[in-house]
Amino acid sequence: MATEAARAYVEGMVFLLAVIAASAGGDPGPAGEAPAGSPAPSPVAVGLSGAGRSSRMAIEQTVEEIAPLVAQIAGRRFTQVPGVLIADIPRIEQVLYEEQVHLLRNATDLGTEAARREARAAVANTGGLFVGKYGFLDHNLYIVPGAVRAALAEEGLDPTLESAVLELVIAHELTHALQDQQADLDESVIHQSGKDAVMALNCLIEGHAVWVHEQVGRARGHPEAVDAVARILGYDLGSPHGVDPGRYYTSYVYGQGRTFVEHHLTRGGPEAVWTLFVHPPLSSSMIVDPATYGNAPATLPEETRRALRRGRDRFVGDEWTLGEEVVGDFDLRERLMEARASTHLADRLVGAWATRGAPKAGAAGAEVQLLRFDAADAAWSYVQAMHANAGTLLADAMSETNGAIEGTVGLWDGVPSSDLAAREVIGLTSMNGQQLSTHWVARGPYVVQVVLVNAPPSERTVAAQINRVLRTVE
């Protein structure tokens, strides 16, 4: 049986393959059932958990009571209050699956079968977490009655809060219905350019719904329920920029999104938020630093873009599917957190870009990233953090797997002009000798990171392509 350390390496490689393939617009092949890196989020659900029992009549009555309050707080009127459907988890999963297929087919280059695989993966990882969901395809409000009780129990919270928390869930989902009627969520997501822009829009959508449900909760005399939902979702109202490592996604999207929305509400009222739906934030960095909203994201000079592409092209095979994207604050902060590094380094990121390739079938992939920080010390710290974490993980894995994993992590002299360079080379003997290598090179404020899965060129080739990219930014 594989230990946790071994499983972490295997799952990490499979996840990386899915990220590379999905971001390149290709079919992940055998890794297609793993969590995808680029499905458009379904931005209309509040994630709690459980199953339960409340009458449809009582829920419909609550919807009728709360809908006018949601409209008043949000500053817009419903064209129609959505119908209520009492659902179980399988029904929620089916709705989520259909939405994910729709978004993946329309917002990415994935084919139908690849979109279905990615959608199944999304459902497998999140489908059982929903208490309520607004279906943006059929415009119905789905409620899993009684599910709040399990969420409260998991957090050790007072079970008598169940009814009040359910009201907040309904207010949250009604806000999504109002957003859809006023801003057309489906079209908004499809027309965002790139995964990070979709993430930023998701933060706006969820952050707005959180802010409205909090105001509804306070207006109806449920401050304890407001605090309970904040705890369940993993963000702290007293420290809106704090991120709970165990709930990174929800704390970022719901918590940071709420803070972003509140920043604009304070300055311009409810109409300022509706303007955001017309002109959404273009990057997740604007969510964590709301004052930068409206600024043009950092762009990559065409010469550097060509150098990244040429570097990638030296690592990919014939007929591999290629793609490129912006690496956003959300992704970098998650990477730092997983590496047990200071997430403050994400605050010092000026811009980051990735170019990738993957075959249409088989377990392989190549990625070249360029990260630009605000100063050389931040770039050096990033490489040092990645190097230290890789060394710790590899040592643990090798000591626990009886030869199933082998490899090396250390400083690297392949780029003598670097401020700091390191590499990791991993072999998975239990998976037919599959290999993963990562190279990190810092020079000045820049980091070039090369990740190769079963695409092992010579160290000289890796060094040459890293130098090629660095020369263009000097």
Side-chain angles (χ1 to χ4, degrees), residues 383-401:
V383 171
Q384 175 59 25
M386 296 299 113
H387 168 229
N389 184 63
T392 299
L393 290 179
L394 179 60
D396 290 345
M398 291 178 66
S399 68
E400 298 173 3
T401 57

Side-chain angles (χ1 to χ4, degrees), residues 308-316 322-323 355-357 368:
L308 281 172
R309 290 171 178 168
R310 286 196 298 268
R312 173 203 62 199
D313 292 346
R314 293 300 300 271
F315 305 134
V316 302
L322 309 178
T355 126
R356 300 182 171 114
V368 182

